[in-house]
Amino acid sequence: MTPSTHRVHVVGRPGGTGLVLLERDGELPVVGWWGVLTPALATGLAGGDVDLFTGPPASDGARRGLVGVPLLPEGARAWPGRPGLTGHRAAGEPAAWSPAFVPTSVEAGPDGAVVQAVDDVAGLALRTEVEALAGGGLRVRHRVTNTGTTPYQLQALEVVLPLPDRATESFDLTGRWCRERVPQRRPVDDGLWLRESRTGVSGHDSATVLAAGPAGFGFAAGEVWGVHVAWSGGTVHRLERTPPHGLSPSTLTVGGGEFLLPGEVELAPGECYDTPWLHAWATAEGLDGLAAAAHTWQRSLPAHPDAPRPVTLNVWEAVWFDHDLDRLTRLADLAAEIGVERFVLDDGWFGARRDDHAGLGDWVVAADVWPHGLAPLADHVRARGMQFGLWFEPEMVNADSDLFRAHPDWILATGGRTPPEQRFQQVLDLAVPGAFDHVLEQMTQVLTDVRVDYVKWDHNRDLVDAGSSAVGGRPGVRARTTAFYRLLDALAERFPDVEWESCASGGGRIDLGVLERTQRVWTSDQNDALARQSIQRWTGQLVAPEYLGAHVSAPVSEQTHRGLSLDFRAGTAFAGSFGIEWDLTTADDADRAVLAEWIAAFRQHRDLLHSGRVFRVDSPEPAVWVHGVVAPDGRSALVACVQHDDAVHAPPRVRVPGLVPDAEFAVTRIRPDAAPAAVVPARATGAVLAELGLPGPDRRPASVVWWHLDADRSPTA
């Protein structure tokens, strides 16, 4: 084969992420490159000169190989690393364990590509889709179909993309309950960096975004390539560098897919399996560039919350399981007085749920606690001008429940044994039709009997020993995940005016799969504002701020027992979807007045907060963080300077990128508190604010200052 037999396809729009697909005879196309598709580069690639993508001849003068990575790496084509597809048939049957796909069609253009291929010996067909997305990202997925006559055991199917050799440092996230999204970096060395989520959901310790670039890339600067697996079950994120092997040159790849348990996917003849979408972004603008692309795509989704994000009060840390109508109506009255717009009744309203030992699975209003149903509270909340929200945990069941006593066979379990309890509960197997229908109809009845505007959907335990009778006793994590999607989709269709929040012991299920169906996520069960600063900062690497539930806690944190000022707690919540997790009956008039000021400020500025481009400044002083949002037209911004601890050096300047350089901006401080702050100019140009910045405030630890910058108004006091 000579280079003239190759064809070059470019997927992507100039200014966003692009991908070059090299079509070749008899073998799967090669991804020759992906990265920032500048207009000049798009023009240069349009000529389709394949010589740009060929390596040097072998020492024996053999043909030059294409530089890049096959669309699906295959051992049969001398791929030396982790293959893209792993699976087999029963012993003695045709060799499906080492496929060698031959393309049958390639359709490609700027908006996407579809490649179809077959391996008649293995009895498999492959379909790969590439889509260009709003915001400048791409997403890729595979489908494998069993075209043979016997079952095919699929072990793994992953999307893999090449990285350039200058990507020498990797970045991803880890964490735990109440400490989600902790960043970590490491040099890119030979071998496989594998991040697996095995908890049955994307997980508190999820990689979230796996990125790589030249060493030292920061928030605002540096080339970065990043990927995310858009799936709410088990996931795999992978980065691998291989030295040269035989016919294969050294390669660096990044990718991911679904984490599959042994025997979880068995394809009968004619059946197919689709990978989750792998989202992929490339930027020359650092981690903020990756975040901007992800956020822009989220804002294009049909499920995106277009209405202003209501100020929410959730009663969990105010009343716990102690549901009393008089106490709750008093709390609702105080909430309405300070500007709260949504009142959410949390766990404890149903079945025998007086504590966390009983009642899960019985989604019937508890008559002993609510003798007249939930309507008296819901009606009172609405009469005060607020929306009414309700908590559910539809995927779980307590052993002490009517549901479990009637159907102990409806839980995920293996080998006839009951899995170990977590939080006194088991996982309901929604892949069982009876269990699915039970939850759907009981939730439907509750949401029909009382008007509900918002559902907090929780998920409070890992999937352990998770076999499913719905799939013949095989692992049931995948089947349960798809059933969760179906249940949420069915309820959203029945109740199109309800907003849905994804919560999994806080931030345990935050991914782009669930964000296609929800309007909010509970960022973390950690309400300590100092700890929340980091959690919100790094969850925002993937998720736009309007989704990030961020609540003002009680003066002393329930989680850390640390006391923090009201201004710091409110100033931290200000950066997300603002709410309150505090018994307002214990707050004095002065505190409620301060909180009302913060709520008014949030309501004034939330349109900008939830539409602008997020920026985070690489600060020379680790104790001081600067972040904010800049409007799409660059004519306004909101900027926060956060003092975490005593600073070693003088306060750094607060520089604001992305403003119109020659516009003059009014600089106004939002809700000044009693602490001193730097004197700032009343007006400054965008160029000055980007290069020189505002004087950094000399602040006490655990404090925050917010400024509003606006080119279209005069400064105010």
Side-chain angles (χ1 to χ4, degrees):
M1 179 163 41
T2 64
S4 63
T5 64
H6 300 307
R7 289 197 295 166
V8 179
H9 304 280
V10 180
V11 179
R13 296 290 183 181
T17 302
L19 179 148
V20 170
L21 198 62
L22 306 173
E23 189 178 349
R24 52 186 182 167
D25 293 340
E27 296 181 17
L28 284 174
V30 165
V31 179
W33 169 91
W34 70 288
V36 180
L37 190 63
T38 64
L41 183 58
T43 300
L45 292 171
D49 187 352
V50 76
D51 284 337
L52 291 168
F53 301 99
T54 55
S59 57
D60 61 0
R63 66 184 181 126
R64 294 177 293 173
L66 291 175
V67 175
V69 171
L71 204 55
L72 184 78
E74 300 168 294
R77 310 290 191 190
W79 180 257
R82 180 181 172 99
L85 172 63
T86 305
H88 63 91
R89 298 184 191 273
E93 297 191 15
W97 67 272
S98 182
F101 286 102
V102 176
T104 58
S105 67
V106 178
E107 301 174 6
D111 294 325
V114 177
V115 176
Q116 308 221 49
V118 297
D119 182 339
D120 292 329
V121 175
L124 298 172
L126 180 72
R127 174 187 172 92
T128 301
E129 298 173 79
V130 183
E131 288 187 5
L133 302 177
L138 300 172
R139 64 179 185 178
V140 189
R141 68 179 176 186
H142 296 306
R143 168 181 289 176
V144 63
T145 301
N146 181 9
T147 60
T149 59
T150 59
Y152 176 74
Q153 297 286 342
L154 177 67
Q155 294 172 265
L157 180 58
E158 297 162 3
V159 175
V160 183
L161 297 172
L163 287 173
D165 54 12
R166 63 185 182 275
T168 58
E169 183 176 74
S170 72
F171 164 95
D172 60 3
L173 300 166
T174 183
R176 57 169 173 80
W177 176 71
C178 278
R179 190 70 172 88
E180 296 91 340
R181 321 294 169 213
V182 178
Q184 56 184 11
R185 292 182 183 242
R186 62 185 293 276
V188 175
D189 297 316
D190 283 358
L192 177 66
W193 176 246
L194 187 64
R195 295 294 309 281
E196 295 178 338
S197 175
R198 293 171 171 259
T199 61
V201 287
S202 35
H204 297 92
D205 62 340
S206 171
T208 306
V209 173
L210 175 56
F217 59 84
F219 286 126
E223 293 181 291
V224 192
W225 293 259
V227 300
H228 166 80
V229 178
W231 182 245
S232 304
T235 59
V236 171
H237 290 80
R238 51 177 281 182
L239 188 148
E240 185 176 29
R241 189 171 76 180
T242 64
H245 282 273
L247 300 175
S248 299
S250 176
T251 58
L252 178 59
T253 60
V254 67
E258 182 180 4
F259 176 78
L260 296 175
L261 290 162
E264 188 161 17
V265 175
E266 180 179 270
L267 299 179
E271 287 187 335
C272 63
Y273 166 85
D274 292 296
T275 69
W277 286 107
L278 182 84
H279 286 246
W281 311 279
T283 180
E285 299 176 345
L287 291 169
D288 283 354
L290 292 189
H295 297 173
T296 302
W297 177 75
Q298 291 156 36
R299 290 167 176 165
S300 75
L301 292 172
H304 178 264
D306 293 325
R309 299 296 77 221
V311 176
T312 298
L313 184 139
N314 187 68
V315 306
W316 177 240
E317 290 189 13
V319 304
W320 306 103
F321 288 106
D322 184 14
H323 286 197
D324 175 81
L325 180 59
D326 291 340
R327 183 181 181 187
L328 288 165
T329 54
R330 171 62 177 152
L331 189 57
D333 291 342
L334 293 173
E337 288 172 7
I338 63 173
V340 169
E341 298 163 299
R342 175 189 285 154
F343 184 94
V344 180
L345 183 65
D346 210 286
D347 194 357
W349 56 266
F350 54 91
R353 190 71 168 177
R354 306 293 78 79
D355 55 35
D356 59 359
H357 291 67
L360 277 180
D362 300 335
W363 301 108
V364 179
V365 177
D368 57 330
V369 179
W370 298 96
H372 304 291
L374 298 176
L377 177 62
D379 292 346
H380 184 86
V381 165
R382 284 214 174 71
R384 299 307 307 267
M386 296 182 291
Q387 298 177 5
F388 181 66
L390 201 57
W391 180 95
F392 288 88
E393 193 174 1
E395 301 157 82
M396 302 295 158
V397 60
N398 287 125
D400 186 1
S401 67
D402 293 340
L403 175 60
F404 186 83
R405 283 184 284 270
H407 293 286
D409 54 318
W410 281 2
I411 65 168
L412 288 174
T414 299
R417 59 182 177 266
T418 301
E421 280 193 335
Q422 293 180 10
R423 283 196 57 170
F424 313 105
Q425 61 194 54
Q426 297 289 346
V427 182
L428 189 65
D429 187 359
L430 291 176
V432 174
F436 182 98
D437 293 342
H438 166 84
V439 176
L440 175 61
E441 296 310 319
Q442 283 204 329
M443 290 184 69
T444 294
Q445 191 63 55
V446 172
L447 299 177
T448 301
D449 288 346
V450 60
R451 180 181 153 198
V452 173
D453 304 287
Y454 174 85
V455 168
K456 179 180 178 180
W457 186 305
D458 214 338
H459 179 294
N460 277 309
R461 64 156 290 167
D462 296 343
L463 275 61
V464 177
D465 211 18
S468 172
S469 61
V471 289
R474 298 196 307 275
V477 175
R478 173 177 173 75
R480 191 216 62 84
T481 304
T482 58
F484 157 63
Y485 285 159
R486 287 190 292 108
L487 179 60
L488 185 49
D489 291 345
L491 286 164
E493 183 176 359
R494 292 185 181 188
F495 301 97
D497 296 327
V498 171
E499 290 197 359
W500 309 88
E501 177 187 86
S502 172
C503 174
S505 288
R509 184 159 59 190
I510 295 179
D511 57 77
L512 297 187
V514 82
L515 284 186
E516 291 195 50
R517 297 167 166 85
T518 56
Q519 290 73 50
R520 198 176 195 250
V521 297
W522 184 224
T523 315
S524 177
D525 281 347
Q526 177 62 269
N527 277 321
D528 178 298
L530 198 57
R532 259 306 188 104
Q533 282 285 338
S534 177
I535 294 169
Q536 291 173 194
R537 181 182 185 87
W538 292 109
T539 306
Q541 184 59 50
L542 179 68
V543 182
E546 59 266 32
Y547 289 96
L548 299 178
H551 290 186
V552 179
S553 75
V556 176
S557 165
E558 176 66 29
Q559 292 77 32
T560 66
H561 304 288
R562 177 164 47 196
L564 295 164
S565 73
L566 176 52
D567 279 307
F568 185 65
R569 283 146 45 216
T572 298
F574 190 82
S577 179
F578 190 97
I580 301 166
E581 199 93 10
W582 179 16
D583 183 358
L584 294 178
T585 66
T586 65
D588 60 25
D589 291 343
D591 277 351
R592 288 197 294 270
V594 170
L595 191 51
E597 289 187 57
W598 276 105
I599 289 172
F602 174 78
R603 292 172 63 169
Q604 176 185 353
H605 295 294
R606 60 188 165 191
D607 287 347
L608 172 55
L609 275 166
H610 296 160
S611 65
R613 174 173 167 142
V614 171
F615 72 90
R616 296 159 292 182
V617 175
D618 294 295
S619 173
E621 172 50 65
V624 179
W625 288 358
V626 174
H627 67 88
V629 296
V630 176
D633 64 3
R635 297 190 62 81
S636 60
L638 291 160
V639 185
C641 184
V642 185
Q643 185 92 20
H644 289 260
D645 205 342
D646 286 322
V648 175
H649 304 103
R653 305 286 298 192
V654 179
R655 295 176 293 108
V656 186
L659 300 171
V660 175
D662 58 356
E664 190 174 63
F665 290 81
V667 181
T668 305
R669 189 171 165 195
I670 295 173
R671 218 219 76 74
D673 59 22
V679 175
V680 298
R683 304 194 73 87
T685 67
V688 168
L689 289 166
E691 178 59 31
L692 182 61
L694 300 170
D698 191 3
R699 302 278 292 175
R700 65 182 184 274
S703 61
V704 59
V705 175
W706 279 93
W707 290 286
H708 181 215
L709 314 179
D710 196 335
D712 299 316
R713 68 181 180 87
S714 300
T716 58

